[in-house]
Amino acid sequence: MNRTLNFAKRNLMEISRDVLSYIFCAAFPIVMLIIMTLVNSSIPKEAGMTIFRIDNLEGGIIIFGQTFVMLFTAINLAKDRGGSFLIRLFATPMKSSDFTNGYILPMILVAVVQAVISLIVAVLIALIVGVEIKLLGFLLVLAAMLPSALMFIAIGIIFGTLFNEKAAPGLCSIIISLGSFIGGIWFDVEGAGGVICKISKCLPFFYCTKTVRSAIKLDLTWETFGLPIIIVSASAIVLSILAVFCFKKRMKADLA
């Protein structure tokens, strides 16, 4: 445990030194929150479109922010692999799970801090635009977002393990675009229906957004919250196990 915590502390310090991490993991989601709120203000009420209303928008922004946490996880791991840092650590008694947990813990913290900042801004926006918010829902979302955060971080570890510093970010960009589009962050997937809806329901990104949005609105029925959070949690567990497995294989290959 001490080895994991020391490694996690080192990774957190590396993230804190990177200016881009503040831009993409904190500033950019907030900017999008403000921009989409302005977009919502220009939509006629007669259109009945509420996807950009702050109580719906905030859930999507939280998931959108987590995709950038995934990106930085992949970049940091790929960068460590590209140098001699991890090679030296491979000679220590640390296990593959120590390494992966050492990347997961600080990024979970980053995701939580990111969500808290975003929620504070969302509360202020809700007060300004006059949208009723449920503070208990905003607190519940901090727990509901953890499975999706773990899932995206696990994806980042897999990409950072299997690909180099140049390829990993590109693959993460695909997930960011895919997660935003079929995850229902920027439009109502279920309202759209058709093939897009069917594809979305076959992947976990849609359920990530649905879980967080339902938590914010305290819509905790089985269909809107129970089943989605189970799907996201199961995906997070499977991908985390896969991340440890991939890292272990890469670790053996690098030592050979």
Side-chain angles (χ1 to χ4, degrees), residues 66-94:
Q66 289 179 357
T67 62
F68 288 99
V69 175
M70 169 193 66
L71 173 64
F72 274 88
T73 302
I75 290 175
N76 288 335
L77 202 161
K79 189 183 299 182
D80 288 343
R81 282 187 49 246
S84 58
F85 176 73
L86 281 184
I87 297 296
R88 292 197 301 268
L89 286 183
F90 286 165
T92 68
M94 289 182 69

Side-chain angles (χ1 to χ4, degrees), residues 8 14 20 25 38 48 53 63 99 129 158 192 238:
E14 287 295 315
L20 288 178
C25 292
L38 294 175
R53 195 176 64 195
I63 300 301
F99 285 104
V129 299
I158 293 170
V238 171

Side-chain angles (χ1 to χ4, degrees), residues 123-172:
V123 170
L124 294 175
I125 290 175
L127 293 174
I128 292 172
V129 299
V131 174
E132 183 181 358
I133 59 172
K134 299 177 180 178
L135 292 178
L136 181 59
F138 274 43
L139 294 176
L140 177 62
V141 78
L142 293 177
M145 53 141 305
L146 292 177
S148 57
L150 178 59
M151 186 193 80
F152 281 111
I153 292 168
I155 295 173
I157 290 175
I158 293 170
F159 285 164
T161 298
L162 299 180
F163 303 99
N164 60 32
E165 192 177 347
K166 293 182 179 180
L171 291 168
C172 286

Side-chain angles (χ1 to χ4, degrees), residues 187-205:
F187 76 102
D188 184 1
V189 170
E190 291 180 296
V195 177
I196 290 296
C197 184
K198 292 179 180 178
I199 294 174
S200 297
K201 290 184 176 181
C202 292
L203 296 171
F205 309 116

Side-chain angles (χ1 to χ4, degrees), residues 7 15 17 21 37 42 54 82 113 136 153 158 162 179 194 219 230:
F7 188 56
I15 296 168
R17 295 191 187 106
S21 65
T37 298
S42 66
I54 192 64
V113 171
L136 181 59
I153 292 168
I158 293 170
L162 299 180
D219 183 10
I230 289 175

Side-chain angles (χ1 to χ4, degrees), residues 4-232:
T4 299
L5 292 177
N6 288 333
F7 188 56
K9 182 179 178 181
R10 174 264 174 190
N11 290 329
L12 185 61
M13 291 178 65
E14 287 295 315
I15 296 168
S16 66
R17 295 191 187 106
D18 191 344
V19 177
L20 288 178
S21 65
Y22 295 99
I23 296 175
F24 285 101
C25 292
F28 190 50
I30 292 173
V31 169
M32 292 301 296
L33 190 65
I34 295 171
I35 290 174
M36 291 304 163
T37 298
L38 294 175
V39 170
N40 182 69
S41 66
S42 66
I43 299 175
K45 292 183 179 180
E46 293 77 12
M49 184 177 177
T50 61
I51 190 70
F52 296 143
R53 195 176 64 195
I54 192 64
D55 54 341
N56 287 320
L57 178 63
E58 173 57 12
I61 291 296
I62 287 176
I63 300 301
F64 183 62
Q66 289 179 357
T67 62
F68 288 99
V69 175
M70 169 193 66
L71 173 64
F72 274 88
T73 302
I75 290 175
N76 288 335
L77 202 161
K79 189 183 299 182
D80 288 343
R81 282 187 49 246
S84 58
F85 176 73
L86 281 184
I87 297 296
R88 292 197 301 268
L89 286 183
F90 286 165
T92 68
M94 289 182 69
K95 300 177 181 179
S96 56
S97 58
D98 293 326
F99 285 104
T100 51
N101 288 336
Y103 285 108
I104 289 172
L105 290 176
M107 298 314 296
I108 286 287
L109 178 60
V110 170
V112 170
V113 171
Q114 178 191 73
V116 169
I117 295 173
S118 179
L119 286 167
I120 291 172
V121 174
V123 170
L124 294 175
I125 290 175
L127 293 174
I128 292 172
V129 299
V131 174
E132 183 181 358
I133 59 172
K134 299 177 180 178
L135 292 178
L136 181 59
F138 274 43
L139 294 176
L140 177 62
V141 78
L142 293 177
M145 53 141 305
L146 292 177
S148 57
L150 178 59
M151 186 193 80
F152 281 111
I153 292 168
I155 295 173
I157 290 175
I158 293 170
F159 285 164
T161 298
L162 299 180
F163 303 99
N164 60 32
E165 192 177 347
K166 293 182 179 180
L171 291 168
C172 286
S173 296
I174 295 175
I175 298 297
I176 292 173
S177 300
L178 190 66
S180 299
F181 185 65
I182 65 175
I185 292 177
W186 306 125
F187 76 102
D188 184 1
V189 170
E190 291 180 296
V195 177
I196 290 296
C197 184
K198 292 179 180 178
I199 294 174
S200 297
K201 290 184 176 181
C202 292
L203 296 171
F205 309 116
F206 166 76
Y207 298 100
C208 292
T209 308
K210 190 166 186 175
T211 297
V212 175
R213 280 191 175 136
S214 298
I216 289 176
K217 293 189 285 187
L218 292 178
D219 183 10
L220 306 180
T221 64
W222 168 255
E223 183 180 352
T224 59
F225 182 79
L227 180 60
I229 198 170
I230 289 175
I231 293 173
V232 176

